[in-house]
Amino acid sequence: MNAVDPEQFARFHPHWDTIAANLDVDRINDFYVYEGEYGNSSTRWHSSAKGLMAARSVLEHLRDNRGALDDQTHASYIDLMETIESVLDDADLRDTRFCFVGNY
């Protein structure tokens, strides 16, 4: 499923990782596979509940802290995280595993 804009997701990647490290929750890379590895191993799929917990933690932090982000970027990152939260929440309700896939 292509749920989010891949360029926006790539721009947000380092911000998620920085926030996650400060909150001691999973980073994007903890759920990431690179193109070509997709589907090669069942261990590449992750619990949507675990991803949802990390995404919600990052989202709550963003809602409370703008940091050095300008208003437009901050708002777009909140929208992105809300989309990710929604997709992972739906996946969790269905007990569906997930992964983030990239090709850069």
Side-chain angles (χ1 to χ4, degrees):
M1 169 191 308
N2 193 8
V4 297
D5 178 288
E7 290 179 16
Q8 182 185 30
F9 186 80
R11 282 190 302 272
F12 183 64
H13 189 150
H15 296 285
W16 175 319
D17 286 349
T18 299
I19 293 167
N22 291 330
L23 299 175
D24 197 27
V25 298
D26 292 301
R27 301 171 308 124
I28 283 180
N29 282 345
D30 295 327
F31 305 113
Y32 215 85
V33 295
Y34 298 97
E35 196 69 53
E37 295 175 344
Y38 183 84
N40 289 344
S41 171
S42 62
T43 61
R44 299 276 183 212
W45 296 97
H46 305 279
S47 162
S48 52
K50 188 173 181 182
L52 182 58
M53 183 185 78
R56 282 186 172 152
S57 295
V58 171
L59 176 58
E60 288 305 313
H61 177 84
L62 280 173
R63 286 178 174 151
D64 294 339
N65 302 282
R66 187 172 68 97
L69 299 172
D70 63 69
D71 289 341
Q72 182 178 359
T73 301
H74 183 243
S76 73
Y77 286 167
I78 288 175
D79 288 344
L80 172 69
M81 288 305 299
E82 287 174 342
T83 301
I84 291 169
E85 177 191 35
S86 176
V87 169
L88 289 175
D89 191 36
D90 287 345
D92 186 42
L93 290 172
R94 293 179 176 89
D95 198 29
T96 301
R97 297 172 64 78
F98 85 103
C99 63
F100 296 124
V101 178
N103 63 356
Y104 58 88

